[in-house]
């Protein structure tokens, strides 16, 4: 590609160039009475367009600007197709992406769903779980759809989660552009804190489940020793650098989770009480406990954009049918089934994890704890992938001499830090769920609605009777409700543990 540059005297004048090439800083906006946009946002967008199209950024005294394909919204309706320009070294197939999506959504939260139903009631729990699952899936859908729109407008092949947030505000109405850096920072910060926190919780979860089995049959030792013994295995697993090679681990984890659920259901369906033995709906003051558990169990927004960006056929991720819809439908059905029958079986005696209600003197029941521990252990790498990418992307420019060595070193350091934090705070769960409540409500519900609103503000607009505005405001309020209830539930857990 040849590079053309505009001189200082040309700034502020719409320029023409060969083909679709034109200076990004000057754009005639026909919708604004012929005014010429020379916003700072246009200059900042050079970063995205040049880096994604392989054009070096060359500036002389701020007046020499690179010419790259234009950012017209007309590109959405033809011309540039971002999927044709993606170059992924190890692209994942639809099935591999489906497996990763299931594993990213099927975490330890599924084991807590019977307790969630205890705080909602049998029928209300089923309805509310379906509603929450639909809203979470819809938010992922509008996030990915907005990403595709922005890729076409900017004529870049792919955008990460933080990139989508920043570019949406940069390319939106002028009043919103000043918030672009803020939202990018919030996305990266919340994703890193939440997912590294999940990694810490996974270490604690695996160690405690293994300890329960070892205490019963072999030797009673401190749970911290199990965490320390896991460290070499966790380091080795996280030296895998791409999602394609992690797919077999996710498949094994999914098989183990499926086996555990099968064994659990075998115990649950023995002498199952009638439906009238449990309440259909509980007192409303218990509902926040249900919403707090269900929203954060179902939300897997952190892994969505990396999965979509690494697909061989990303156009199959959303739509009907699609990888997203099929995967989330299975997740919601599994969560609802476990919650409903687990609560029906154990009623008021339902524990925080349904595995704790299984018989402690039977080998088959104890094997469930081992398998679920292995499944969660194998999920660590998928959770670790996103925060590492964020941290490495922001720091790799400092290590230009031997980047591969420093990348592996950073991986080891971060893994060691998560294990050390877990060893230092083996009761970290409530604190991390508090952080997760703050992070996931914003990332999974509030932010996708904001991005959809800003992206659609001018084109195609807010719709008849401003339906798009009201729709997104409802989801944002729902997200705020999730934030409040999640924080409320987490604070209750923290207070209980503190008193103990």
């Amino acid at each position: 590609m040849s590079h053309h540059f505009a001189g200082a005297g040309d700034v502020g004048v719409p320029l023409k160039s060969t083909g679709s090439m034109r200076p990004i800083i000057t754009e005639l906006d026909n919708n604004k009475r012929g005014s010429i946009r020379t916003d700072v946002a246009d200059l900042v967008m050079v970063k995205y367009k040049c880096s994604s199209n392989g054009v070096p950024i060359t500036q002389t005294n701020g007046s020499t600007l690179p010419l790259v394909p234009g950012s017209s919204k007309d590109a959405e309706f033809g011309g540039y197709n971002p999927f044709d320009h993606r170059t992924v070294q190890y692209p994942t197939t639809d099935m591999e992406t489906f497996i990763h999506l299931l594993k990213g959504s099927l975490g330890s939260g599924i084991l807590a769903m019977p307790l969630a139903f205890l705080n909602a009631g049998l029928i209300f729990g089923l309805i509310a779980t379906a509603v929450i699952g639909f809203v979470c899936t819809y938010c992922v859908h509008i996030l990915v759809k907005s990403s595709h729109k922005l890729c076409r407008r900017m004529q870049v092949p792919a955008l990460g989660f933080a990139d989508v947030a920043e570019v949406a505000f940069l390319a939106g109405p002028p009043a919103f552009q000043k918030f672009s850096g803020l939202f990018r920072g919030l996305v990266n910060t919340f994703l890193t804190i939440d997912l590294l926190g999940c990694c810490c919780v996974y270490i604690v979860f695996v160690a405690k489940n293994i300890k329960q089995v070892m205490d019963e049959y072999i030797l009673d030792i401190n749970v911290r020793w199990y965490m320390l013994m896991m460290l070499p295995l966790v380091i080795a697993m996280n030296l895998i650098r791409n999602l394609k090679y992690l797919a077999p681990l996710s498949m094994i984890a999914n098989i183990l989770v499926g086996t555990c659920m099968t064994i659990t259901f075998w115990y649950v369906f023995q002498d199952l009480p009638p439906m009238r033995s449990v309440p259909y709906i509980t007192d409303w003051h218990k509902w926040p406990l249900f919403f707090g558990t269900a929203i954060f169990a179902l939300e897997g927004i952190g892994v969505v954009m990396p999965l979509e960006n690494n697909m061989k056929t990303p156009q199959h991720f959303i739509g009907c049918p699609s990888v997203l819809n099929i995967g989330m439908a299975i997740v919601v059905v599994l969560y609802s089934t476990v919650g409903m029958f687990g609560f029906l079986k154990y009623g008021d005696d339902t524990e925080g994890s349904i595995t704790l209600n299984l018989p402690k003197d039977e080998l088959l029941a104890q094997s469930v704890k081992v398998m679920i521990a292995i499944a969660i252990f194998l999920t660590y790498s998928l959770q670790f992938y996103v925060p590492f990418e964020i941290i490495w992307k922001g720091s790799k420019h400092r290590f230009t001499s031997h980047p591969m060595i420093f990348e592996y070193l950073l991986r080891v350091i971060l893994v060691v830090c998560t294990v050390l934090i877990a060893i230092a705070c083996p009761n970290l769960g409530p604190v991390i769920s508090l952080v997760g409540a703050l992070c996931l409500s914003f990332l999974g519900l509030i932010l996708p609605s904001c991005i959809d609103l800003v992206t659609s503000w001018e084109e195609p607009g807010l719709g008849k009777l401003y339906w798009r505005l009201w729709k997104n405001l409802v989801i944002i309020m729902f997200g705020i409700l999730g934030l409040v209830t999640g924080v409320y539930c987490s604070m209750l857990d923290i207070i209980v543990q503190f008193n103990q």
Side-chain angles (χ1 to χ4, degrees), residues 368-494:
V368 171
K369 296 178 182 178
V370 176
M371 287 188 287
I372 205 70
I374 295 173
I376 297 301
F377 175 80
L378 295 177
T379 309
Y380 182 105
S381 293
L382 187 59
Q383 294 288 348
F384 182 80
Y385 182 87
V386 176
F388 176 80
E389 286 295 306
I390 293 172
I391 294 172
W392 177 242
K393 192 173 182 180
S395 58
K396 64 181 179 181
H397 64 278
R398 302 177 183 272
F399 311 108
T400 55
S401 56
H402 302 286
M404 189 75 70
I405 295 175
F406 284 106
E407 180 183 348
Y408 281 120
L409 184 61
L410 182 59
R411 285 178 176 272
V412 172
I413 291 173
L414 287 176
V415 168
V416 170
C417 286
T418 60
V419 174
L420 290 179
I421 292 172
I423 291 173
C425 308
N427 295 320
L428 192 65
V431 178
I432 296 301
S433 61
L434 175 63
V435 176
L438 292 169
C439 296
L440 289 179
S441 292
F442 174 78
L443 294 173
L445 299 173
I446 298 172
L447 181 64
S449 299
C450 292
I451 290 174
D452 180 58
L453 196 58
V454 173
T455 304
S456 305
W457 193 273
E458 295 178 343
E459 182 64 46
L462 299 180
K464 189 176 181 180
L465 300 177
Y466 301 103
W467 69 267
R468 190 172 277 108
L469 172 65
W470 297 116
K471 176 258 297 184
N472 284 303
L473 286 178
V474 168
I475 298 176
I476 290 170
M477 294 303 297
F478 190 73
I480 293 173
L481 173 66
L483 189 150
V484 173
T485 56
V487 171
Y488 171 73
C489 296
S490 302
M491 289 302 298
L492 283 180
D493 288 343
I494 291 172

Side-chain angles (χ1 to χ4, degrees), residues 71-322:
S71 59
S72 172
K73 293 180 176 62
D74 295 336
E76 291 181 44
F77 308 104
Y80 185 84
N81 184 355
F83 306 139
D84 293 338
H85 298 270
R86 289 189 181 181
T87 54
V88 182
Q89 187 175 3
Y90 301 102
T92 55
T93 64
D94 289 359
M95 180 56 67
E96 290 168 341
T97 304
F98 175 76
I99 292 168
H100 281 314
L101 181 65
L102 283 183
K103 195 65 233 82
S105 301
L106 284 174
S108 58
I110 192 171
L111 304 175
M113 285 305 294
L115 182 64
F117 272 63
L118 174 65
N119 293 308
L122 196 66
I123 303 301
F124 180 70
L126 280 174
I127 296 172
T129 301
V131 170
I132 292 172
F134 173 80
V135 173
C136 290
T137 304
Y138 179 72
C139 287
V140 173
H141 180 88
I142 61 177
L143 175 67
V144 176
K145 192 172 182 179
S146 296
S147 171
H148 293 171
K149 286 182 180 179
L150 293 168
C151 284
R152 290 188 176 95
R153 290 182 189 177
M154 296 299 300
Q155 299 191 23
V156 295
L159 293 168
F161 196 173
D163 296 332
V164 173
E166 184 175 15
V167 173
F169 282 86
L170 283 175
F176 297 133
Q177 292 172 3
K178 59 186 176 183
F179 300 110
S180 59
L182 171 65
F183 274 85
R184 180 183 182 85
L186 287 174
V187 170
N188 282 334
T189 301
F190 283 173
L191 273 178
T192 302
I193 293 174
D194 179 68
L195 294 177
L196 285 181
C198 285
C199 290
C200 297
V201 172
Y202 283 2
I203 296 296
V204 174
F205 180 89
V206 172
K208 286 190 172 182
N209 275 270
I210 296 298
K211 174 179 166 54
Q212 288 181 7
V213 177
M214 297 294 285
D215 289 352
E216 185 74 23
Y217 295 105
I218 302 178
L219 181 66
D220 182 3
I221 62 175
N222 193 293
V223 69
R224 291 179 172 88
W225 287 109
Y226 292 106
M227 299 180 193
L228 197 60
M229 286 187 283
M230 287 165 53
L231 181 57
L233 294 175
V234 181
I235 291 175
M237 184 173 60
N238 283 279
L239 294 180
I240 300 174
R241 300 174 59 243
N242 62 73
L243 284 175
K244 186 174 181 66
Y245 293 153
L246 290 175
L249 298 182
S250 290
M251 174 60 83
I252 295 171
N254 287 336
I255 293 172
L256 290 174
V257 170
T259 304
C260 290
M261 291 298 101
T262 302
I263 296 173
T264 301
F265 280 132
W266 186 79
Y267 281 103
V268 166
F269 284 121
Q270 291 182 9
D271 301 322
L272 193 67
M275 291 184 62
R276 62 177 180 273
S277 63
V278 294
Y280 290 170
I281 186 170
T282 60
D283 295 334
W284 65 269
H285 66 271
K286 291 184 178 180
W287 294 356
L289 295 170
F290 166 81
F291 282 109
T293 303
I295 287 176
F296 304 112
L298 285 165
E299 191 56 79
I301 194 77
V303 298
V304 167
M305 293 311 302
L307 290 179
E308 193 271 345
N309 286 338
N310 279 275
M311 285 185 71
K312 183 183 297 183
T313 53
Q315 58 269 33
H316 294 170
F317 190 77
I318 59 174
C320 188
S322 64

